[in-house]
Amino acid sequence: QVQLVESGGGLVQPGGSLRLSCAASGGILSINGLGWYRQAPGKRELVARISSTGSTNYADSVKGRFTISRVNAGNTVYLQMNSLKPEDTAVYYCHADRLVTQGRTFYNYWGQGTQVTVSS
């Protein structure tokens, strides 16, 4: 069974750091883009994305503070979040835009989400 499993969320004070991880498993042959979205009340936005070749893009609101990286033959993605602000509070979701297994290709595949709360 294909899964995107996130970890690393939690409660942190403003100015602090967290690292989110997302590990893909389940007979995966390849994944194109891997990224992180976040969902706050009334709004979902792309936070960061990394392609299979390592190209990255970020939301303007996180540039210079967040770093996305990809390891483990491209099946694990990290989001290093520094200088966190209260407005970064949201549920963060891992996303694969195209995920290929031996039997099937999945598009827009999502993890279950992990809560990040930035508060003093």
Side-chain angles (χ1 to χ4, degrees):
Q1 182 180 357
V2 175
Q3 287 186 300
L4 297 177
V5 179
E6 300 118 330
S7 60
L11 173 65
V12 64
Q13 292 187 342
S17 298
L18 282 175
R19 189 175 82 155
L20 304 183
S21 301
C22 172
S25 62
I28 294 168
L29 298 178
S30 67
I31 305 175
N32 286 40
L34 272 173
W36 292 92
Y37 285 75
R38 63 187 179 188
Q39 175 83 53
K43 182 173 75 169
R44 174 176 284 195
E45 63 173 343
L46 173 66
V47 178
R49 180 186 179 276
I50 184 166
S51 74
S52 58
T53 60
S55 298
T56 59
N57 59 287
Y58 296 90
D60 287 343
S61 59
V62 307
K63 283 180 182 176
R65 300 188 298 122
F66 291 10
T67 303
I68 191 169
S69 59
R70 191 166 172 176
V71 298
N72 189 24
N75 289 351
T76 299
V77 63
Y78 298 104
L79 185 68
Q80 178 66 43
M81 304 186 294
N82 299 328
S83 302
L84 282 159
K85 304 175 181 180
E87 51 264 43
D88 295 318
T89 295
V91 179
Y92 284 69
Y93 293 91
C94 183
H95 174 266
D97 55 20
R98 182 174 178 268
L99 190 158
V100 180
T101 68
Q102 284 189 331
R104 187 174 169 183
T105 297
F106 298 85
Y107 296 90
N108 290 318
Y109 205 88
W110 295 90
Q112 81 284 357
T114 185
Q115 176 71 45
V116 171
T117 302
V118 185
S119 175
S120 55

